[in-house]
Amino acid sequence: MAIDIKSPKEIEQMRVACRMAAETLLLVGEKIRVGMTTEEINTLVHEDTIRRGAYPAPLNYKRFPKSVCTSVNEVVCHGIPGPQVLKDGDIVNVDVTTFYKGFYGDTSATFYLGTPSEGARKVTEVARESLRRAIAIVRDGARLGDIGHAIQEYAEAEGCSVVRDFVGHGIGRRFHEDPQVKHYGRAGTGERLRAGMTFTIEPMVNLGGFEVEIDASDNWTARTVDGTLSAQFEHTILVTKDGHEVMTERPEPLRMSENVVAIFA
């Protein structure tokens, strides 16, 4: 495993790409609504990214045909935007990755459309809290297994499951690099974290079983095998000497996600 330790200059450059991705996701929160199509989300993300002088990293990545991933309800990840209309009660994960001047910033969140069901609220908030607990673990000297353990222990205690087939990843000059960041595992195992490492943590949490399947029609869209709801949140994280920095942290609460938690509680 060859893990890239970023220099101070590289970290500063990454901060710019990460800030752009966070701001684009905030714009999605402002605009998302019942009746919107996932293609309209794609257009919004694409145009905002280009306006910033950046590039939407998913577009043409391994032949992915769109500029953002939109994963609705039982879709775990890699949902392809299209004519699907968002309905009252839906949840949708919007996964934004911005490429700017040689560096990537990657972040996602699950949004509520209208009034969510009890199950939708549960899986979304468990996913949100799973990410928060995982980030709190990150520090110089901790281990990758500590991150996965924190997520799995909490999510399963809440009666949910954690997807195994997709993991977080190193990020920087490449969209995906070492290390792999599993969202399950044993504490005290795995590679030690070192200051200067940058990676995503992006737990995918299911209301039912953790098994997923890929749509044969596009070889991208991943769904829960049992058809139950799935939610995900993601940040790009920097390991620092005294802890961590959330590089894609948003300057304000995310509309239709963070700002409605108390209402739906």
Side-chain angles (χ1 to χ4, degrees):
M1 183 184 295
I3 298 176
D4 185 25
I5 302 299
K6 308 302 188 297
S7 70
K9 182 178 179 180
E10 289 174 321
I11 289 168
E12 281 300 321
Q13 291 173 297
M14 274 195 72
R15 285 191 179 112
V16 178
C18 287
R19 184 169 62 250
M20 287 182 175
E23 290 173 352
T24 298
L25 196 60
L26 277 171
L27 180 64
V28 172
E30 292 172 7
K31 301 294 186 181
I32 200 167
R33 67 189 187 281
V34 172
M36 193 177 198
T37 65
T38 53
E39 182 62 44
E40 289 177 290
I41 297 174
N42 182 76
T43 299
L44 179 69
V45 169
H46 182 89
E47 291 180 350
D48 188 66
T49 305
I50 297 300
R51 177 183 66 80
R52 298 172 186 275
Y55 184 80
L59 185 60
N60 299 319
Y61 178 76
K62 296 185 178 180
R63 299 187 178 181
F64 189 81
K66 298 291 181 176
S67 296
V68 68
C69 298
T70 53
S71 303
V72 182
N73 294 333
E74 80 284 356
V75 176
V76 174
C77 62
H78 303 156
I80 299 175
Q84 182 175 6
V85 177
L86 298 175
K87 305 185 300 298
D88 180 63
D90 283 347
I91 54 173
V92 55
N93 176 269
V94 180
D95 193 342
V96 173
T97 308
T98 301
F99 180 69
Y100 182 72
K101 293 188 176 180
F103 289 88
Y104 292 86
D106 193 0
T107 187
S108 84
T110 297
F111 296 90
Y112 294 113
L113 280 301
T115 304
S117 66
E118 181 180 347
R121 293 196 302 270
K122 177 169 185 174
V123 73
T124 300
E125 297 313 316
V126 169
R128 191 195 312 276
E129 177 65 9
S130 293
L131 176 58
R132 188 195 69 79
R133 291 180 180 226
I135 291 172
I137 296 293
V138 177
R139 67 184 188 284
D140 188 89
R143 291 185 180 273
L144 284 172
D146 300 340
I147 295 173
H149 175 75
I151 294 168
Q152 184 180 10
E153 182 180 51
Y154 171 71
E156 292 182 354
E158 292 295 317
C160 296
S161 66
V162 180
V163 171
R164 270 66 161 171
D165 292 42
F166 302 100
V167 297
H169 53 87
I171 188 170
R173 290 186 180 276
R174 289 169 291 175
F175 194 166
H176 297 89
E177 58 187 36
D178 287 333
Q180 287 196 341
V181 183
K182 295 178 181 178
H183 304 121
Y184 61 96
R186 292 189 298 115
T189 65
E191 188 82 16
R192 284 200 181 276
L193 306 185
R194 296 167 54 199
M197 289 172 61
T198 53
F199 50 79
T200 69
I201 305 176
E202 47 187 294
M204 286 150 263
V205 175
N206 296 347
L207 199 56
F210 65 78
E211 298 85 359
V212 303
E213 57 188 0
I214 310 297
D215 284 5
S217 60
D218 60 35
N219 291 317
W220 276 107
T221 305
R223 301 176 189 272
T224 57
V225 168
D226 58 14
T228 56
L229 295 173
S230 183
Q232 178 190 18
F233 288 86
E234 174 186 16
H235 274 305
T236 296
I237 309 298
L238 165 69
V239 183
T240 65
K241 290 190 179 299
D242 57 357
H244 59 266
E245 175 186 328
V246 181
M247 302 188 81
T248 47
E249 186 171 14
R250 296 174 287 273
E252 59 191 72
L254 192 61
R255 185 179 173 275
M256 300 310 298
S257 184
E258 292 168 326
N259 74 322
V260 295
V261 174
I263 297 173
F264 295 146

